[in-house]
Amino acid sequence: MAGLSPTSQLPMKEVLGRLIRASQWAHRNQQILGKVTTSAPITSPAAPRLTRADGSPLRVLVVDDENSLTDLLSMALRYEGWEVKAAPDGQTALTLAREFKPDAIVLDVMLPDIDGLQVLGRLRTGGDDTPILFLTAKDAVEDRVTGLTAGGDDYVTKPFSLEEVVARLRGLIRRSAAMVSEGGDSRITVGDLVLDEESYEVSRAGREIELTATEFELLRFLMRNPRRVLSKAQILDRVWSYDFGGKSSVVEIYISYLRKKIDAGEEPMIHTVRGVGYVIKPVS
């Protein structure tokens, strides 16, 4: 959009209105996105602008076969100062993921060739741990659970607001190693387990442990509350910022992932308290 620089402070309604007026798909977009209620820019003047460690703009790949929707999302993300590329199908998304090397991916579940879950599976099989935000149909609970348990990091449901997408992406990127660290005392230690919030490195007894962004956030929440039993509801609220309407099995799955990485060949540190939740504590 002409005249929309990343640092402009136009009200979000005006920014969205300009793009909608320029699109022949305006009515359809409004149905997809729902009502955008904010009268302020997506990022307030006080919100820190996120960049890569070298100071270059963050990169986001948007994958959806609705051109009008990808235009709106791309506009909103560029408004944040981020570099954006769009893919209309799964195969193009896989190619761009290799070439563009995004810091986060917005991925629709329903695509014309291979679906979003297959895209996710191929990325993870290839060793790509880029944080992924799924777009799902309203109330498609099974899609959300399947996507997250397959290695996705978060989701938003249609209709949604642009502000929600931006906020969730900022949260995912903060949990990844791509962004500039804010400094301070960055190490959390529980027994021989050490988590560094700046470098996003985890080790136990000197053994380095590789975690996905969501696994890292879950472990950080546990380690910030050593010897305290955390319920599934608390974990869902803190790590995923929502509940699953009873689908708390995703917590069990991610706890299982952590145990395989943290407790492998060692005395267990992550414990289940039946009927209550989970706790991490040093080996006695």
Side-chain angles (χ1 to χ4, degrees), residues 14-273:
E14 182 176 346
V15 174
L16 181 59
R18 289 188 183 187
L19 189 62
I20 289 178
R21 286 194 296 271
S23 172
Q24 60 180 325
W25 300 89
H27 177 67
R28 189 175 187 181
N29 284 336
Q30 288 169 339
Q31 289 180 324
I32 293 173
L33 291 170
K35 185 177 180 182
V36 177
T37 57
T38 184
S39 59
I42 295 177
T43 303
S44 67
R49 188 169 296 280
L50 303 183
T51 66
R52 288 184 152 194
D54 61 3
S56 63
L58 289 170
R59 297 178 180 180
V60 179
L61 175 61
V62 178
V63 187
D64 197 291
D65 61 337
E66 293 284 350
N67 291 336
S68 50
L69 177 57
T70 57
D71 285 347
L72 285 167
L73 287 173
S74 297
M75 177 276 301
L77 299 178
R78 290 189 181 107
Y79 189 73
E80 289 289 304
W82 301 346
E83 187 177 350
V84 183
K85 287 196 176 183
D89 54 58
Q91 294 292 352
T92 305
L94 291 170
T95 299
L96 284 176
R98 290 191 300 269
E99 298 174 352
F100 184 48
K101 300 188 183 305
D103 301 301
I105 299 174
V106 180
L107 179 61
D108 194 9
V109 172
M110 300 300 295
L111 294 171
D113 50 359
I114 57 174
D115 64 34
L117 296 175
Q118 290 175 292
V119 172
L120 168 65
R122 294 187 188 184
L123 289 173
R124 296 295 186 250
T125 300
D128 189 331
D129 290 327
T130 303
I132 290 180
L133 176 68
F134 271 114
L135 303 180
T136 68
K138 185 177 181 181
D139 298 327
V141 175
E142 292 303 323
D143 281 349
R144 302 174 215 166
V145 175
T146 301
L148 292 171
T149 55
D153 297 280
D154 204 348
Y155 78 91
V156 291
T157 58
K158 301 176 182 179
F160 53 79
S161 70
L162 295 174
E163 292 92 332
E164 180 183 10
V165 174
V166 171
R168 292 211 183 261
L169 281 173
R170 288 176 67 87
L172 287 181
I173 292 169
R174 284 194 187 98
R175 301 201 300 261
S176 76
M179 61 166 287
V180 173
S181 302
E182 297 180 356
D185 186 4
S186 63
R187 291 165 67 89
I188 305 174
T189 302
V190 177
D192 60 357
L193 182 63
V194 180
L195 179 148
D196 192 315
E197 295 181 293
E198 279 193 2
S199 65
Y200 278 71
E201 294 175 336
V202 176
S203 64
R204 182 171 182 189
R207 172 176 60 90
E208 292 187 3
I209 301 169
E210 293 187 4
L211 301 178
T212 66
T214 301
E215 290 168 349
F216 184 91
E217 185 66 13
L218 174 56
L219 180 61
R220 173 160 56 182
F221 185 41
L222 291 171
M223 292 181 68
R224 282 179 172 174
N225 297 275
R227 301 182 183 276
R228 177 186 173 192
V229 180
L230 301 171
S231 69
K232 292 179 182 178
Q234 288 175 309
I235 293 171
L236 283 170
D237 181 65
R238 175 61 182 83
V239 178
W240 285 277
S241 301
Y242 50 74
D243 62 56
F244 279 90
K247 293 290 185 179
S248 59
S249 60
V250 68
V251 177
E252 300 172 13
I253 292 170
Y254 269 88
I255 288 289
S256 174
Y257 293 163
L258 279 184
R259 281 179 168 148
K260 290 176 182 177
K261 295 182 177 183
I262 302 300
D263 292 338
E266 307 278 356
E267 288 292 320
M269 295 183 66
I270 301 172
H271 303 272
T272 301
V273 179

